[in-house]
Amino acid sequence: MMLAARVDGTAVTDNWSGIGIENRGFQYGDGLFETAALIGGRVRFLDGHLSRLQHGCERLSIPMPQSDLLAQEIAQVTAGHERGVVKVIVTRGAGGRGYRPVDGVASKRVVALYSAPESLAADVGIEIRWCTTRCARNAQLAGMKHLNRLEQVLAQAEWRDAAIAEGLMTDTEGELVSGTSSNVFLVIEGVLVTPDLRYAGVAGVMRGQVLKIAQAQDWHCEERAVWPEEVMHATEVFVTNAVRGIRPVLKLGERHWNVGSVTRGIASALGLW
Amino acid sequence: MMLAARVDGTAVTDNWSGIGIENRGFQYGDGLFETAALIGGRVRFLDGHLSRLQHGCERLSIPMPQSDLLAQEIAQVTAGHERGVVKVIVTRGAGGRGYRPVDGVASKRVVALYSAPESLAADVGIEIRWCTTRCARNAQLAGMKHLNRLEQVLAQAEWRDAAIAEGLMTDTEGELVSGTSSNVFLVIEGVLVTPDLRYAGVAGVMRGQVLKIAQAQDWHCEERAVWPEEVMHATEVFVTNAVRGIRPVLKLGERHWNVGSVTRGIASALGLW
């Protein structure tokens, strides 16, 4: 449930106003977003989110709103709340004839607070599945959390069974990419492995934290092409997401896992559980 | 310039209200659109646009608004206008936690009228270029005019030279797909050839009309995989678009063409010029 929102700094309260129909985010998905966890009244990894947003804006040539302004508006929508999900959307604003962007148009920013999902940061193992919806490969868009997310929508529409918390997606060539709204890590012969996302997927902020911890602690870690069969041979599997933290995978089809020591070590090093 | 617009039947007049920030079109590009030409106070190929919209809604499991309702709202926004561009957007509405859609939510519809581009339906040959931005391949999304259009935005941002009217895009495997906002036809050894769009691209309404005419007149026509080299070897090249009709290509890099007889025959058979 949406608790509070601001569009370009102005509070909006209902589901009608806020965005003009000419906004390029609405017309073309021409923008980016961030979804962060509010825990104890603070946005977790705020710097990581703002820095990824900045990087995405540079890649798409969308003017990045001032970080101070965003931080201030985040403080405004989260004031008085301890837990929740903060969503920031930045679009190229309105304007341009057809697809072509015009220069000198200010970007449009939305900062909103949603109530927290029940499972927020809980240490619960999950069951996952494979999705049949594929991720298209396009290196020019890979890694960004942009607003073109039809593939993820179609993938999540594939199942309704509430016992299954996430679905893994492969790309059109069959490589493993990620979960529908998470990144995936495997432990294979003691090595931490995650897809390199060179053609598809979102480079998650929590994924970045895991890689940073692994590097700091000198664990052997590989970002590389990963194939679906490797998941079944992994000794540990977990998924990461900025809001839900690290979730160990306990079941995928007929394959079962326990919560392993590498997963525990990383969750602990990140102060998650 | 936007001349008139209705959101779910209600007239909107400015660039602020209209769409709630939770609308899934804005959040994920979770929707479809149509862009049609208003000529002499009538929407050209209205049935073709509504039928493609219906087909897209079925593929994405988005409830299709009643055609009568859309037709009525189109009549309302176009009332008193002779020429212009009609844009219809249908999104999955608001709702759902994250990417997953929820059942029973009414779709959101936008019907808007824009002023006509100067070149509307004019018989002018154009100069085109190649784009470096690629189209990703995903058969599940191919052909639809959905709202995930970042690739087209980035492709059109590649050039500002007003003398160049369109850019051709290849997919990530190098196959020719289309123009950034048009379909492309080649005449090769007397045969009309157009990319089959099995992995990428939008199956344009004007493209459909050209194929229909070709079939009705027993011209030899192939929808198939097309490679960029074939463009240079074609004896005629033209691009199609519901708003701009059929535009013969006169120049691409160092290659020049005249307006050929096949192109003229098709434009004439369609009553365009």
Side-chain angles (χ1 to χ4, degrees), chain A residues 15-16 19-20 27-28 87 99-100 134 137-138 147-151 156 159 172, chain B residues 15-16 19-20 27-28 87 99-100 134 137-138 147-151 156 159 172:
Chain A
N15 196 31
W16 168 257
I19 296 298
Q27 299 246 340
Y28 309 126
K87 186 159 183 175
Y99 297 127
R100 177 168 296 129
R134 302 294 184 104
R137 292 163 77 113
N138 190 340
L147 294 173
N148 280 200
R149 300 263 75 107
L150 258 178
E151 289 165 350
Q156 285 207 357
W159 82 99
T172 49
Chain B
N15 195 31
W16 167 257
I19 296 298
Q27 299 247 340
Y28 310 126
K87 186 159 183 174
Y99 298 127
R100 177 169 293 130
R134 302 294 185 106
R137 291 163 78 111
N138 190 341
L147 294 173
N148 280 201
R149 299 263 76 106
L150 257 177
E151 289 164 349
Q156 286 207 356
W159 82 98
T172 50

mmCIF file of all heavy atoms in Angstrom, chain A residues 15-16 19-20 27-28 87 99-100 134 137-138 147-151 156 159 172, chain B residues 15-16 19-20 27-28 87 99-100 134 137-138 147-151 156 159 172:
data_model
loop_
_atom_site.group_PDB
_atom_site.id
_atom_site.type_symbol
_atom_site.label_atom_id
_atom_site.label_comp_id
_atom_site.label_asym_id
_atom_site.label_seq_id
_atom_site.Cartn_x
_atom_site.Cartn_y
_atom_site.Cartn_z
ATOM 1 N N ASN A 15 -4.687 8.401 -6.537
ATOM 2 C CA ASN A 15 -4.198 7.575 -7.630
ATOM 3 C C ASN A 15 -4.532 8.166 -9.000
ATOM 4 O O ASN A 15 -4.412 7.522 -10.019
ATOM 5 C CB ASN A 15 -4.792 6.164 -7.515
ATOM 6 C CG ASN A 15 -4.035 5.187 -8.375
ATOM 7 O OD1 ASN A 15 -2.833 5.352 -8.575
ATOM 8 N ND2 ASN A 15 -4.717 4.201 -8.913
ATOM 9 N N TRP A 16 -4.936 9.392 -9.005
ATOM 10 C CA TRP A 16 -5.352 10.001 -10.253
ATOM 11 C C TRP A 16 -4.309 10.985 -10.756
ATOM 12 O O TRP A 16 -3.851 10.923 -11.886
ATOM 13 C CB TRP A 16 -6.703 10.696 -10.053
ATOM 14 C CG TRP A 16 -7.101 11.604 -11.176
ATOM 15 C CD1 TRP A 16 -7.044 12.974 -11.182
ATOM 16 C CD2 TRP A 16 -7.584 11.235 -12.461
ATOM 17 N NE1 TRP A 16 -7.466 13.469 -12.379
ATOM 18 C CE2 TRP A 16 -7.811 12.425 -13.195
ATOM 19 C CE3 TRP A 16 -7.862 10.014 -13.084
ATOM 20 C CZ2 TRP A 16 -8.296 12.433 -14.498
ATOM 21 C CZ3 TRP A 16 -8.333 10.021 -14.383
ATOM 22 C CH2 TRP A 16 -8.558 11.215 -15.076
ATOM 23 N N ILE A 19 1.054 12.254 -12.741
ATOM 24 C CA ILE A 19 1.831 12.103 -13.957
ATOM 25 C C ILE A 19 0.968 12.497 -15.149
ATOM 26 O O ILE A 19 -0.149 12.009 -15.299
ATOM 27 C CB ILE A 19 2.271 10.629 -14.102
ATOM 28 C CG1 ILE A 19 3.201 10.249 -12.957
ATOM 29 C CG2 ILE A 19 2.943 10.380 -15.437
ATOM 30 C CD1 ILE A 19 4.493 11.050 -12.903
ATOM 31 N N GLY A 20 1.469 13.377 -15.952
ATOM 32 C CA GLY A 20 0.756 13.725 -17.185
ATOM 33 C C GLY A 20 0.863 12.584 -18.177
ATOM 34 O O GLY A 20 1.837 11.815 -18.150
ATOM 35 N N GLN A 27 4.796 6.892 -21.576
ATOM 36 C CA GLN A 27 4.662 6.640 -23.013
ATOM 37 C C GLN A 27 5.597 5.536 -23.514
ATOM 38 O O GLN A 27 5.235 4.760 -24.389
ATOM 39 C CB GLN A 27 4.936 7.928 -23.790
ATOM 40 C CG GLN A 27 3.961 9.052 -23.443
ATOM 41 C CD GLN A 27 3.057 9.425 -24.613
ATOM 42 O OE1 GLN A 27 3.373 9.133 -25.754
ATOM 43 N NE2 GLN A 27 1.942 10.048 -24.330
ATOM 44 N N TYR A 28 6.823 5.511 -22.979
ATOM 45 C CA TYR A 28 7.837 4.604 -23.544
ATOM 46 C C TYR A 28 8.615 3.787 -22.502
ATOM 47 O O TYR A 28 9.519 3.049 -22.869
ATOM 48 C CB TYR A 28 8.859 5.416 -24.364
ATOM 49 C CG TYR A 28 8.250 6.346 -25.379
ATOM 50 C CD1 TYR A 28 8.565 7.705 -25.391
ATOM 51 C CD2 TYR A 28 7.347 5.866 -26.331
ATOM 52 C CE1 TYR A 28 8.004 8.563 -26.320
ATOM 53 C CE2 TYR A 28 6.778 6.719 -27.257
ATOM 54 C CZ TYR A 28 7.105 8.062 -27.255
ATOM 55 O OH TYR A 28 6.549 8.910 -28.175
ATOM 56 N N LYS A 87 10.374 3.816 -3.055
ATOM 57 C CA LYS A 87 10.546 3.682 -4.497
ATOM 58 C C LYS A 87 10.833 5.050 -5.100
ATOM 59 O O LYS A 87 10.140 6.027 -4.807
ATOM 60 C CB LYS A 87 9.280 3.080 -5.119
ATOM 61 C CG LYS A 87 9.427 2.767 -6.595
ATOM 62 C CD LYS A 87 8.398 1.740 -7.070
ATOM 63 C CE LYS A 87 8.631 1.402 -8.537
ATOM 64 N NZ LYS A 87 7.764 0.337 -9.028
ATOM 65 N N TYR A 99 9.509 9.162 -30.418
ATOM 66 C CA TYR A 99 10.525 8.576 -29.542
ATOM 67 C C TYR A 99 11.687 9.509 -29.227
ATOM 68 O O TYR A 99 12.302 9.427 -28.179
ATOM 69 C CB TYR A 99 11.094 7.312 -30.192
ATOM 70 C CG TYR A 99 10.087 6.204 -30.402
ATOM 71 C CD1 TYR A 99 9.931 5.621 -31.651
ATOM 72 C CD2 TYR A 99 9.324 5.724 -29.354
ATOM 73 C CE1 TYR A 99 9.019 4.589 -31.855
ATOM 74 C CE2 TYR A 99 8.413 4.699 -29.544
ATOM 75 C CZ TYR A 99 8.263 4.128 -30.802
ATOM 76 O OH TYR A 99 7.371 3.116 -30.986
ATOM 77 N N ARG A 100 12.015 10.404 -30.158
ATOM 78 C CA ARG A 100 13.236 11.204 -29.988
ATOM 79 C C ARG A 100 13.147 12.142 -28.782
ATOM 80 O O ARG A 100 12.212 12.924 -28.670
ATOM 81 C CB ARG A 100 13.535 12.020 -31.254
ATOM 82 C CG ARG A 100 14.758 12.933 -31.078
ATOM 83 C CD ARG A 100 15.225 13.509 -32.388
ATOM 84 N NE ARG A 100 15.691 12.443 -33.263
ATOM 85 C CZ ARG A 100 15.300 12.274 -34.519
ATOM 86 N NH1 ARG A 100 14.450 13.095 -35.061
ATOM 87 N NH2 ARG A 100 15.784 11.273 -35.220
ATOM 88 N N ARG A 134 11.366 -15.520 -21.209
ATOM 89 C CA ARG A 134 12.798 -15.280 -21.319
ATOM 90 C C ARG A 134 13.140 -13.802 -21.214
ATOM 91 O O ARG A 134 12.313 -12.948 -21.532
ATOM 92 C CB ARG A 134 13.307 -15.788 -22.676
ATOM 93 C CG ARG A 134 13.053 -17.257 -22.948
ATOM 94 C CD ARG A 134 13.837 -18.131 -21.996
ATOM 95 N NE ARG A 134 13.666 -19.542 -22.309
ATOM 96 C CZ ARG A 134 14.575 -20.286 -22.924
ATOM 97 N NH1 ARG A 134 15.723 -19.750 -23.294
ATOM 98 N NH2 ARG A 134 14.353 -21.562 -23.148
ATOM 99 N N ARG A 137 18.242 -10.332 -24.898
ATOM 100 C CA ARG A 137 19.641 -9.917 -24.708
ATOM 101 C C ARG A 137 19.887 -8.591 -25.408
ATOM 102 O O ARG A 137 19.708 -8.480 -26.620
ATOM 103 C CB ARG A 137 20.582 -10.967 -25.305
ATOM 104 C CG ARG A 137 20.568 -12.271 -24.538
ATOM 105 C CD ARG A 137 21.161 -13.393 -25.366
ATOM 106 N NE ARG A 137 22.611 -13.361 -25.417
ATOM 107 C CZ ARG A 137 23.414 -14.278 -24.880
ATOM 108 N NH1 ARG A 137 22.903 -15.298 -24.224
ATOM 109 N NH2 ARG A 137 24.721 -14.175 -24.992
ATOM 110 N N ASN A 138 20.314 -7.602 -24.650
ATOM 111 C CA ASN A 138 20.719 -6.342 -25.242
ATOM 112 C C ASN A 138 21.721 -5.672 -24.314
ATOM 113 O O ASN A 138 21.350 -5.085 -23.291
ATOM 114 C CB ASN A 138 19.516 -5.421 -25.496
ATOM 115 C CG ASN A 138 19.902 -4.220 -26.337
ATOM 116 O OD1 ASN A 138 21.086 -3.871 -26.416
ATOM 117 N ND2 ASN A 138 18.938 -3.592 -26.969
ATOM 118 N N LEU A 147 12.673 1.251 -16.868
ATOM 119 C CA LEU A 147 11.223 1.068 -16.725
ATOM 120 C C LEU A 147 10.620 0.150 -17.786
ATOM 121 O O LEU A 147 9.410 0.032 -17.869
ATOM 122 C CB LEU A 147 10.517 2.433 -16.753
ATOM 123 C CG LEU A 147 10.816 3.372 -15.574
ATOM 124 C CD1 LEU A 147 10.193 4.752 -15.813
ATOM 125 C CD2 LEU A 147 10.280 2.806 -14.261
ATOM 126 N N ASN A 148 11.433 -0.515 -18.571
ATOM 127 C CA ASN A 148 10.922 -1.488 -19.564
ATOM 128 C C ASN A 148 10.896 -2.875 -18.918
ATOM 129 O O ASN A 148 11.855 -3.642 -19.044
ATOM 130 C CB ASN A 148 11.810 -1.506 -20.811
ATOM 131 C CG ASN A 148 11.522 -0.356 -21.781
ATOM 132 O OD1 ASN A 148 11.863 -0.429 -22.955
ATOM 133 N ND2 ASN A 148 10.913 0.706 -21.300
ATOM 134 N N ARG A 149 9.849 -3.221 -18.244
ATOM 135 C CA ARG A 149 9.849 -4.418 -17.414
ATOM 136 C C ARG A 149 8.740 -5.400 -17.756
ATOM 137 O O ARG A 149 8.317 -6.187 -16.911
ATOM 138 C CB ARG A 149 9.750 -4.012 -15.930
ATOM 139 C CG ARG A 149 10.898 -3.136 -15.444
ATOM 140 C CD ARG A 149 12.010 -3.914 -14.744
ATOM 141 N NE ARG A 149 12.877 -4.672 -15.579
ATOM 142 C CZ ARG A 149 14.154 -4.363 -15.885
ATOM 143 N NH1 ARG A 149 14.698 -3.262 -15.444
ATOM 144 N NH2 ARG A 149 14.887 -5.161 -16.621
ATOM 145 N N LEU A 150 8.319 -5.395 -19.015
ATOM 146 C CA LEU A 150 7.257 -6.326 -19.416
ATOM 147 C C LEU A 150 7.646 -7.785 -19.216
ATOM 148 O O LEU A 150 6.814 -8.618 -18.870
ATOM 149 C CB LEU A 150 6.901 -6.102 -20.892
ATOM 150 C CG LEU A 150 5.632 -5.309 -21.172
ATOM 151 C CD1 LEU A 150 5.461 -5.129 -22.669
ATOM 152 C CD2 LEU A 150 4.413 -6.000 -20.577
ATOM 153 N N GLU A 151 8.920 -8.099 -19.445
ATOM 154 C CA GLU A 151 9.337 -9.500 -19.295
ATOM 155 C C GLU A 151 9.155 -9.972 -17.843
ATOM 156 O O GLU A 151 8.738 -11.102 -17.601
ATOM 157 C CB GLU A 151 10.803 -9.660 -19.718
ATOM 158 C CG GLU A 151 10.989 -9.525 -21.235
ATOM 159 C CD GLU A 151 12.440 -9.318 -21.640
ATOM 160 O OE1 GLU A 151 13.292 -9.079 -20.759
ATOM 161 O OE2 GLU A 151 12.722 -9.388 -22.860
ATOM 162 N N GLN A 156 6.279 -13.092 -13.752
ATOM 163 C CA GLN A 156 5.596 -13.246 -12.456
ATOM 164 C C GLN A 156 4.148 -13.679 -12.638
ATOM 165 O O GLN A 156 3.560 -14.261 -11.723
ATOM 166 C CB GLN A 156 5.674 -11.951 -11.642
ATOM 167 C CG GLN A 156 7.065 -11.732 -11.048
ATOM 168 C CD GLN A 156 7.044 -10.891 -9.777
ATOM 169 O OE1 GLN A 156 6.014 -10.410 -9.342
ATOM 170 N NE2 GLN A 156 8.224 -10.726 -9.176
ATOM 171 N N TRP A 159 2.897 -17.813 -12.360
ATOM 172 C CA TRP A 159 2.445 -18.656 -11.248
ATOM 173 C C TRP A 159 1.719 -17.846 -10.184
ATOM 174 O O TRP A 159 1.965 -16.665 -10.029
ATOM 175 C CB TRP A 159 3.618 -19.437 -10.641
ATOM 176 C CG TRP A 159 4.467 -18.684 -9.651
ATOM 177 C CD1 TRP A 159 4.374 -18.753 -8.280
ATOM 178 C CD2 TRP A 159 5.542 -17.763 -9.915
ATOM 179 N NE1 TRP A 159 5.312 -17.944 -7.700
ATOM 180 C CE2 TRP A 159 6.049 -17.323 -8.669
ATOM 181 C CE3 TRP A 159 6.129 -17.263 -11.081
ATOM 182 C CZ2 TRP A 159 7.098 -16.410 -8.556
ATOM 183 C CZ3 TRP A 159 7.184 -16.345 -10.960
ATOM 184 C CH2 TRP A 159 7.659 -15.933 -9.721
ATOM 185 N N THR A 172 17.223 -15.474 -23.859
ATOM 186 C CA THR A 172 16.747 -16.154 -25.062
ATOM 187 C C THR A 172 17.764 -17.166 -25.605
ATOM 188 O O THR A 172 17.423 -17.993 -26.439
ATOM 189 C CB THR A 172 16.396 -15.135 -26.163
ATOM 190 O OG1 THR A 172 17.487 -14.219 -26.285
ATOM 191 C CG2 THR A 172 15.146 -14.355 -25.797
ATOM 192 N N ASN B 15 -0.799 18.892 -18.283
ATOM 193 C CA ASN B 15 0.243 17.890 -18.314
ATOM 194 C C ASN B 15 0.551 17.325 -16.927
ATOM 195 O O ASN B 15 1.563 16.690 -16.706
ATOM 196 C CB ASN B 15 1.512 18.493 -18.929
ATOM 197 C CG ASN B 15 2.485 17.408 -19.325
ATOM 198 O OD1 ASN B 15 2.063 16.312 -19.684
ATOM 199 N ND2 ASN B 15 3.763 17.694 -19.222
ATOM 200 N N TRP B 16 -0.312 17.587 -15.984
ATOM 201 C CA TRP B 16 -0.040 17.155 -14.613
ATOM 202 C C TRP B 16 -0.916 15.985 -14.221
ATOM 203 O O TRP B 16 -0.462 14.948 -13.776
ATOM 204 C CB TRP B 16 -0.245 18.346 -13.655
ATOM 205 C CG TRP B 16 -0.306 17.962 -12.218
ATOM 206 C CD1 TRP B 16 -1.424 17.864 -11.429
ATOM 207 C CD2 TRP B 16 0.792 17.609 -11.374
ATOM 208 N NE1 TRP B 16 -1.093 17.478 -10.167
ATOM 209 C CE2 TRP B 16 0.265 17.313 -10.095
ATOM 210 C CE3 TRP B 16 2.169 17.508 -11.565
ATOM 211 C CZ2 TRP B 16 1.073 16.934 -9.019
ATOM 212 C CZ3 TRP B 16 2.965 17.122 -10.488
ATOM 213 C CH2 TRP B 16 2.418 16.848 -9.238
ATOM 214 N N ILE B 19 -2.661 10.444 -14.894
ATOM 215 C CA ILE B 19 -2.180 9.105 -14.595
ATOM 216 C C ILE B 19 -1.630 9.079 -13.174
ATOM 217 O O ILE B 19 -0.799 9.912 -12.813
ATOM 218 C CB ILE B 19 -1.072 8.732 -15.593
ATOM 219 C CG1 ILE B 19 -1.646 8.663 -17.001
ATOM 220 C CG2 ILE B 19 -0.418 7.418 -15.227
ATOM 221 C CD1 ILE B 19 -2.715 7.603 -17.197
ATOM 222 N N GLY B 20 -2.107 8.146 -12.383
ATOM 223 C CA GLY B 20 -1.545 7.979 -11.042
ATOM 224 C C GLY B 20 -0.163 7.355 -11.133
ATOM 225 O O GLY B 20 0.136 6.631 -12.091
ATOM 226 N N GLN B 27 4.879 2.461 -14.301
ATOM 227 C CA GLN B 27 5.836 1.727 -13.474
ATOM 228 C C GLN B 27 6.667 0.718 -14.271
ATOM 229 O O GLN B 27 7.845 0.521 -13.972
ATOM 230 C CB GLN B 27 5.088 0.988 -12.363
ATOM 231 C CG GLN B 27 4.329 1.925 -11.422
ATOM 232 C CD GLN B 27 4.897 1.941 -10.018
ATOM 233 O OE1 GLN B 27 5.599 1.029 -9.617
ATOM 234 N NE2 GLN B 27 4.593 2.974 -9.263
ATOM 235 N N TYR B 28 6.022 0.055 -15.251
ATOM 236 C CA TYR B 28 6.708 -1.046 -15.933
ATOM 237 C C TYR B 28 6.589 -1.025 -17.453
ATOM 238 O O TYR B 28 7.066 -1.942 -18.113
ATOM 239 C CB TYR B 28 6.141 -2.392 -15.440
ATOM 240 C CG TYR B 28 6.089 -2.540 -13.942
ATOM 241 C CD1 TYR B 28 4.904 -2.864 -13.290
ATOM 242 C CD2 TYR B 28 7.241 -2.344 -13.170
ATOM 243 C CE1 TYR B 28 4.852 -2.998 -11.909
ATOM 244 C CE2 TYR B 28 7.188 -2.474 -11.781
ATOM 245 C CZ TYR B 28 5.994 -2.798 -11.164
ATOM 246 O OH TYR B 28 5.949 -2.925 -9.809
ATOM 247 N N LYS B 87 -3.661 9.025 -30.669
ATOM 248 C CA LYS B 87 -2.894 8.040 -29.919
ATOM 249 C C LYS B 87 -3.800 7.395 -28.877
ATOM 250 O O LYS B 87 -4.489 8.084 -28.138
ATOM 251 C CB LYS B 87 -1.691 8.718 -29.253
ATOM 252 C CG LYS B 87 -0.756 7.749 -28.557
ATOM 253 C CD LYS B 87 0.629 8.337 -28.353
ATOM 254 C CE LYS B 87 1.543 7.297 -27.711
ATOM 255 N NZ LYS B 87 2.926 7.755 -27.610
ATOM 256 N N TYR B 99 5.926 -6.661 -9.704
ATOM 257 C CA TYR B 99 5.638 -6.933 -11.119
ATOM 258 C C TYR B 99 4.349 -7.719 -11.344
ATOM 259 O O TYR B 99 3.709 -7.587 -12.362
ATOM 260 C CB TYR B 99 6.796 -7.721 -11.740
ATOM 261 C CG TYR B 99 8.123 -7.000 -11.746
ATOM 262 C CD1 TYR B 99 9.259 -7.587 -11.215
ATOM 263 C CD2 TYR B 99 8.236 -5.727 -12.309
ATOM 264 C CE1 TYR B 99 10.489 -6.936 -11.250
ATOM 265 C CE2 TYR B 99 9.446 -5.070 -12.334
ATOM 266 C CZ TYR B 99 10.578 -5.678 -11.798
ATOM 267 O OH TYR B 99 11.783 -5.033 -11.825
ATOM 268 N N ARG B 100 3.991 -8.585 -10.381
ATOM 269 C CA ARG B 100 2.880 -9.507 -10.636
ATOM 270 C C ARG B 100 1.550 -8.761 -10.815
ATOM 271 O O ARG B 100 1.159 -7.983 -9.959
ATOM 272 C CB ARG B 100 2.756 -10.525 -9.502
ATOM 273 C CG ARG B 100 1.541 -11.468 -9.696
ATOM 274 C CD ARG B 100 1.582 -12.632 -8.730
ATOM 275 N NE ARG B 100 2.707 -13.490 -9.044
ATOM 276 C CZ ARG B 100 3.605 -13.919 -8.163
ATOM 277 N NH1 ARG B 100 3.507 -13.569 -6.906
ATOM 278 N NH2 ARG B 100 4.582 -14.698 -8.544
ATOM 279 N N ARG B 134 20.620 -1.608 -31.054
ATOM 280 C CA ARG B 134 20.033 -2.845 -31.562
ATOM 281 C C ARG B 134 18.679 -3.122 -30.917
ATOM 282 O O ARG B 134 18.417 -2.677 -29.814
ATOM 283 C CB ARG B 134 20.958 -4.039 -31.238
ATOM 284 C CG ARG B 134 22.360 -3.918 -31.797
ATOM 285 C CD ARG B 134 22.335 -3.967 -33.314
ATOM 286 N NE ARG B 134 23.692 -3.968 -33.853
ATOM 287 C CZ ARG B 134 24.284 -5.042 -34.369
ATOM 288 N NH1 ARG B 134 23.650 -6.198 -34.403
ATOM 289 N NH2 ARG B 134 25.509 -4.954 -34.853
ATOM 290 N N ARG B 137 16.083 -9.556 -29.060
ATOM 291 C CA ARG B 137 15.211 -10.590 -29.638
ATOM 292 C C ARG B 137 14.402 -11.275 -28.545
ATOM 293 O O ARG B 137 14.964 -11.845 -27.615
ATOM 294 C CB ARG B 137 16.065 -11.649 -30.342
ATOM 295 C CG ARG B 137 16.740 -11.147 -31.602
ATOM 296 C CD ARG B 137 17.862 -12.060 -32.032
ATOM 297 N NE ARG B 137 17.406 -13.267 -32.692
ATOM 298 C CZ ARG B 137 17.585 -13.537 -33.998
ATOM 299 N NH1 ARG B 137 18.217 -12.676 -34.761
ATOM 300 N NH2 ARG B 137 17.157 -14.652 -34.520
ATOM 301 N N ASN B 138 13.099 -11.188 -28.641
ATOM 302 C CA ASN B 138 12.248 -11.938 -27.731
ATOM 303 C C ASN B 138 10.922 -12.224 -28.433
ATOM 304 O O ASN B 138 10.066 -11.349 -28.547
ATOM 305 C CB ASN B 138 12.020 -11.167 -26.423
ATOM 306 C CG ASN B 138 11.347 -12.040 -25.380
ATOM 307 O OD1 ASN B 138 10.739 -13.062 -25.717
ATOM 308 N ND2 ASN B 138 11.460 -11.668 -24.117
ATOM 309 N N LEU B 147 4.533 -0.851 -24.579
ATOM 310 C CA LEU B 147 5.080 0.409 -24.046
ATOM 311 C C LEU B 147 6.550 0.313 -23.616
ATOM 312 O O LEU B 147 7.074 1.250 -23.025
ATOM 313 C CB LEU B 147 4.232 0.895 -22.863
ATOM 314 C CG LEU B 147 2.785 1.311 -23.195
ATOM 315 C CD1 LEU B 147 2.006 1.615 -21.909
ATOM 316 C CD2 LEU B 147 2.770 2.530 -24.109
ATOM 317 N N ASN B 148 7.217 -0.787 -23.900
ATOM 318 C CA ASN B 148 8.654 -0.909 -23.583
ATOM 319 C C ASN B 148 9.448 -0.455 -24.803
ATOM 320 O O ASN B 148 9.810 -1.260 -25.661
ATOM 321 C CB ASN B 148 9.010 -2.366 -23.234
ATOM 322 C CG ASN B 148 8.655 -2.750 -21.805
ATOM 323 O OD1 ASN B 148 9.201 -3.701 -21.259
ATOM 324 N ND2 ASN B 148 7.739 -2.020 -21.196
ATOM 325 N N ARG B 149 9.745 0.820 -24.904
ATOM 326 C CA ARG B 149 10.277 1.361 -26.148
ATOM 327 C C ARG B 149 11.608 2.084 -25.966
ATOM 328 O O ARG B 149 11.963 2.960 -26.758
ATOM 329 C CB ARG B 149 9.245 2.303 -26.793
ATOM 330 C CG ARG B 149 7.935 1.612 -27.151
ATOM 331 C CD ARG B 149 7.860 1.170 -28.605
ATOM 332 N NE ARG B 149 8.594 0.003 -28.971
ATOM 333 C CZ ARG B 149 8.082 -1.210 -29.236
ATOM 334 N NH1 ARG B 149 6.799 -1.441 -29.126
ATOM 335 N NH2 ARG B 149 8.853 -2.199 -29.613
ATOM 336 N N LEU B 150 12.356 1.693 -24.947
ATOM 337 C CA LEU B 150 13.646 2.353 -24.705
ATOM 338 C C LEU B 150 14.596 2.214 -25.891
ATOM 339 O O LEU B 150 15.362 3.129 -26.194
ATOM 340 C CB LEU B 150 14.310 1.750 -23.468
ATOM 341 C CG LEU B 150 14.234 2.577 -22.191
ATOM 342 C CD1 LEU B 150 14.871 1.822 -21.042
ATOM 343 C CD2 LEU B 150 14.887 3.941 -22.374
ATOM 344 N N GLU B 151 14.563 1.070 -26.562
ATOM 345 C CA GLU B 151 15.477 0.881 -27.699
ATOM 346 C C GLU B 151 15.192 1.897 -28.799
ATOM 347 O O GLU B 151 16.118 2.438 -29.410
ATOM 348 C CB GLU B 151 15.343 -0.548 -28.255
ATOM 349 C CG GLU B 151 15.943 -1.595 -27.309
ATOM 350 C CD GLU B 151 15.503 -3.005 -27.634
ATOM 351 O OE1 GLU B 151 14.565 -3.178 -28.450
ATOM 352 O OE2 GLU B 151 16.086 -3.951 -27.071
ATOM 353 N N GLN B 156 16.590 6.782 -31.809
ATOM 354 C CA GLN B 156 16.287 8.102 -32.377
ATOM 355 C C GLN B 156 17.191 9.188 -31.795
ATOM 356 O O GLN B 156 17.384 10.235 -32.426
ATOM 357 C CB GLN B 156 14.811 8.457 -32.166
ATOM 358 C CG GLN B 156 13.891 7.672 -33.102
ATOM 359 C CD GLN B 156 12.589 8.390 -33.409
ATOM 360 O OE1 GLN B 156 12.306 9.456 -32.888
ATOM 361 N NE2 GLN B 156 11.782 7.792 -34.270
ATOM 362 N N TRP B 159 20.762 10.556 -33.803
ATOM 363 C CA TRP B 159 21.036 11.610 -34.785
ATOM 364 C C TRP B 159 20.077 12.789 -34.608
ATOM 365 O O TRP B 159 18.967 12.621 -34.119
ATOM 366 C CB TRP B 159 20.981 11.057 -36.209
ATOM 367 C CG TRP B 159 19.624 10.922 -36.830
ATOM 368 C CD1 TRP B 159 19.032 11.794 -37.687
ATOM 369 C CD2 TRP B 159 18.669 9.850 -36.644
ATOM 370 N NE1 TRP B 159 17.794 11.346 -38.055
ATOM 371 C CE2 TRP B 159 17.545 10.156 -37.428
ATOM 372 C CE3 TRP B 159 18.660 8.686 -35.884
ATOM 373 C CZ2 TRP B 159 16.415 9.331 -37.475
ATOM 374 C CZ3 TRP B 159 17.547 7.860 -35.927
ATOM 375 C CH2 TRP B 159 16.443 8.174 -36.714
ATOM 376 N N THR B 172 20.028 -7.880 -32.248
ATOM 377 C CA THR B 172 21.324 -8.187 -31.653
ATOM 378 C C THR B 172 22.072 -9.285 -32.404
ATOM 379 O O THR B 172 23.263 -9.471 -32.194
ATOM 380 C CB THR B 172 21.165 -8.590 -30.172
ATOM 381 O OG1 THR B 172 20.149 -9.594 -30.095
ATOM 382 C CG2 THR B 172 20.747 -7.393 -29.328
#
